[in-house]
Amino acid sequence: MTTTRTLGSTGPQVSALGLGCMGMSALYGESDRTESIATIHAALDAGITLLDTGDFYGMGHNELLINEALRTASGTAREQALTSVKFGALRTVEGAFTGYDGRPAAVKNFAAYSLQRLGTDHIDIYRIARVDPDVPVEETIGAIAELVEAGHVRHIGLSEVGADTIRRAASVAPISDLQIEYSLISRSVEDAILPVCRELGIGVTAYGVLSRGLISGHFSRDRELAPGDFRAMSPRFQSGNLQHNLDLVDALRKIAEQKGVSVAQIAIAWVLGRGTDIVPLVGARRRDRLTEALGALDVTLDAADLAAIEEAVPAGAAAGARYPDNQMAHLDSER
C-alpha cells in the first residue's frame, strides 16, 4: 500500500497514516511525557509526517509537547512534519467544554497563541473543531483564508461538519480536508458527507478509527477506566453497550486471526481501504501501539475479507452514540 496520500485536490501530500496526539495530553487519563515524545519521534522516523492536535488539548499542553518533540527530532524529520491544528473550543479551568468561538477576531487570536506554543511561523492545516452556531461558517473560513494570505496558515480544513456546511465553506476558499470520525462502527459519513467531499475534491482525515480503543482488540470487558478518562462518559463504553460492542470485536478478531494480523491492524486497514483520499489518524500514545498501527499499511483486504468484515460488523451495528448527548448537539455532521 502506498505510504503517502494527498489531502484533496488542493491539500498537501502527507503520510498514509497520521498521528493523532490528543491522548498524550488529555481525555484518556494520565500520560507519560517521555514516552509521548519518544512515540512522536518514532512516528516521524517511520515516515509519518502528519501530526494532529488541538489548541484545547490539555489547554495548550499538546501543542507544547509537539513543539518539544519537533525541537528534539532529527532535522529531516522536523522539516517533513506537518501540523494539523483544531481551534475554537472554549473550556473552564476544571476542563469543562462551554462552547465554540468562530468569530474572525477569535480565529486570529487562537492562531497567534498556537504559533507561539508550536514554536513555528505557520500552521499547515487549520480548522475550527466544531462550527460556532452563532457565526456563519463563511466568516470563520474567511478569517482562516486571511491567515493563509498572510502566510500564517498553509491550508484550510474542516471538522465534523455536514454536507451543506462543506459546500458553504468551500464556496469561500479551497478546503484541503474534512476531519471526521470514521471507523467500522462509525460510518454515517458514507451517506452524504463523503460523496460531497469527493465531488468537491476534499480529502478526509479520519479520527477514531479504533473508536477510542473500543475496537483495538486491547479493551477488556472488566477494564476500569482511570479518573478523567473521557470514555467513562461515552455511551459506547457503558456497561450494556460495551458488552454488545465487544461482541463485535470478538467477531472481528476471528477474521484478524485467520489473516495473521491484529484486530487493530484489520480495523485500520479497513479505513485505509475506503479510498486513497482518506488518511486515518492513529491515536497511539506508546511506541508499541504505534508499531502495531504501522503494520496496517502492510495489510491487504480482498473481497472475501471485506465481505467477512461486513458480516461480522455491519454498518450501524454499534450500540450507543459516539458522544454523550450534550456533545452530539455540537456536531453539525450529525444533523
Side-chain angles (χ1 to χ4, degrees):
M1 184 176 292
T2 179
T3 56
T4 62
R5 295 185 170 187
T6 302
L7 290 181
S9 58
T10 64
Q13 186 178 70
V14 300
S15 49
L17 290 179
L19 183 65
C21 300
M22 180 189 77
M24 298 176 180
S25 296
L27 299 178
Y28 292 123
E30 290 295 321
S31 59
D32 183 322
R33 186 180 190 88
T34 300
E35 181 61 23
S36 295
I37 290 174
T39 300
I40 294 173
H41 285 168
L44 295 170
D45 290 343
I48 287 182
T49 61
L50 183 63
L51 302 178
D52 184 79
T53 185
D55 64 10
F56 49 92
Y57 293 166
M59 288 73 158
H61 177 279
N62 206 238
E63 290 178 320
L64 292 169
L65 185 77
I66 290 173
N67 180 341
E68 183 178 349
L70 290 176
R71 279 190 291 107
T72 53
S74 70
T76 301
R78 187 167 57 250
E79 290 171 9
Q80 293 178 343
L82 301 174
T83 52
S84 170
V85 179
K86 291 178 291 298
F87 68 89
L90 305 176
R91 303 192 67 181
T92 66
V93 173
E94 293 74 24
F97 287 86
T98 59
Y100 296 88
D101 193 344
R103 295 171 301 147
V107 173
K108 295 174 182 179
N109 177 77
F110 287 130
Y113 279 76
S114 282
L115 289 167
Q116 178 66 27
R117 285 188 293 260
L118 289 166
T120 183
D121 63 357
H122 73 275
I123 295 165
D124 292 288
I125 311 169
Y126 203 47
R127 69 188 89 238
I128 191 165
R130 303 286 187 268
V131 172
D132 181 345
D134 298 323
V135 177
V137 70
E138 291 88 348
E139 293 184 16
T140 301
I141 297 300
I144 306 176
E146 291 179 5
L147 290 170
V148 172
E149 187 175 352
H152 304 310
V153 169
R154 295 281 168 83
H155 303 279
I156 303 171
L158 295 170
S159 175
E160 285 290 357
V161 296
D164 179 61
T165 303
I166 293 169
R167 291 188 186 280
R168 289 169 56 197
S171 72
V172 176
I175 305 297
S176 66
D177 67 303
L178 166 69
Q179 189 171 121
I180 195 163
E181 186 167 356
Y182 191 19
S183 74
L184 269 168
I185 62 171
S186 296
R187 295 176 60 177
S188 60
V189 64
E190 294 174 345
D191 297 333
I193 293 173
L194 190 53
V196 168
C197 285
R198 287 174 168 162
E199 174 193 336
L200 299 177
I202 296 170
V204 170
T205 41
Y207 75 90
V209 293
L210 297 179
S211 198
R212 299 163 184 81
L214 180 59
I215 60 171
S216 67
H218 300 298
F219 203 93
S220 63
R221 295 176 187 274
D222 57 355
R223 178 172 173 178
E224 292 189 10
L225 295 170
D229 193 317
F230 157 81
R231 292 171 291 190
M233 299 181 295
S234 173
R236 289 183 175 171
F237 288 84
Q238 302 309 306
S239 57
N241 292 342
L242 179 63
Q243 301 309 314
H244 170 88
N245 293 330
L246 290 180
D247 285 344
L248 299 176
V249 177
D250 288 341
L252 188 62
R253 193 186 309 276
K254 293 176 182 176
I255 302 168
E257 288 175 348
Q258 290 172 358
K259 285 191 69 69
V261 301
S262 73
V263 175
Q265 288 169 341
I266 205 167
I268 296 168
W270 183 88
V271 179
L272 277 164
R274 303 309 280 179
T276 56
D277 53 348
I278 297 171
V279 174
L281 301 173
V282 296
R285 300 197 293 169
R286 301 182 343 220
R287 283 168 286 181
D288 58 337
R289 294 287 192 254
L290 172 68
T291 298
E292 181 183 25
L294 288 167
L297 293 168
D298 298 321
V299 177
T300 301
L301 301 176
D302 60 25
D305 295 326
L306 293 172
I309 292 169
E310 191 72 28
E311 183 177 354
V313 189
R322 53 195 185 98
Y323 286 99
D325 288 346
N326 63 330
Q327 294 184 39
M328 287 293 288
H330 290 293
L331 296 180
D332 181 81
S333 55
E334 295 287 341
R335 291 177 187 151

